[in-house]
Amino acid sequence: MPASEIDLDPVQHITADAIGQPGQRVFYLQGWRETDPQPVTLIIEKIQLQSLALGIEQMIIEIAHQKPELAAPQADYDPDRMRILPPVDPLFRAGEMGIGYDADHDRIVVLVRAVTPEGEDPAQAAAVRFWCTRQQARMLSAWAAEVI
């Protein structure tokens, strides 16, 4: 059984951002539910954010092919709303990341597992699942391109 799991289902908001000067920046993924007292913030690598953005775009294209009756999510976002919120108190540093789609609820899930020490099973690491709409995921993807 994993160390701890958090399911933000559904998230009210999901975003990513970077703090610091280019070359020294730290990248974050953050989300929260309406009922959460503070956001869940994770440290991620730049390449993880790039891969997440690309994966979201590919998934949205695949969903559109499989379910053409669904409206295409727009990439429009408010930059001020996409910045991460304080407190920036990361829960953990991301190790494995993945995305999936729940067709029954029309939600995209971003799964992030904590970095594990060498020799330990990554499936046992702390994990956060950010369950978001296709619109929220698309905005995250578009915003990530700006952050990177």
Side-chain angles (χ1 to χ4, degrees), residues 14 53 56-57 60-61 72-77 82 108 132-144:
I14 185 169
I56 288 170
E57 290 301 317
I60 287 172
I61 290 168
Q74 300 301 308
D76 299 333
Y77 59 83
M82 295 304 289
I108 290 177
C132 54
T133 65
R134 290 177 297 112
Q135 179 69 40
Q136 289 171 319
R138 185 76 197 281
M139 291 186 328
L140 171 61
S141 176
W143 172 248

Side-chain angles (χ1 to χ4, degrees), residues 60 63-64 67-74 106 134-135:
I60 287 172
I63 293 168
K67 296 182 162 246
E69 69 278 8
L70 294 177
Q74 300 301 308
D106 191 26
R134 290 177 297 112
Q135 179 69 40

Side-chain angles (χ1 to χ4, degrees), residues 21 101 127:
Q21 297 300 315
Y101 179 65

Side-chain angles (χ1 to χ4, degrees), residues 51-65 99 141:
S51 296
L52 177 61
L54 179 61
I56 288 170
E57 290 301 317
Q58 290 172 340
M59 180 168 283
I60 287 172
I61 290 168
E62 183 63 30
I63 293 168
H65 281 89
I99 59 174
S141 176

Side-chain angles (χ1 to χ4, degrees), residues 2-41:
S4 70
E5 290 191 4
I6 298 174
D7 265 309
L8 299 177
D9 186 8
V11 294
Q12 179 180 348
H13 189 66
I14 185 169
T15 191
D17 212 345
I19 297 176
Q21 297 300 315
Q24 302 294 320
R25 297 186 298 172
V26 177
F27 290 83
Y28 298 92
L29 182 65
Q30 184 181 75
W32 63 88
R33 295 172 292 201
E34 193 171 336
T35 58
D36 291 336
Q38 71 180 43
V40 173
T41 306

Side-chain angles (χ1 to χ4, degrees), residues 100-109 131:
Y101 179 65
D102 178 351
D104 292 339
H105 297 99
D106 191 26
R107 296 253 188 255
I108 290 177
V109 61
W131 294 88

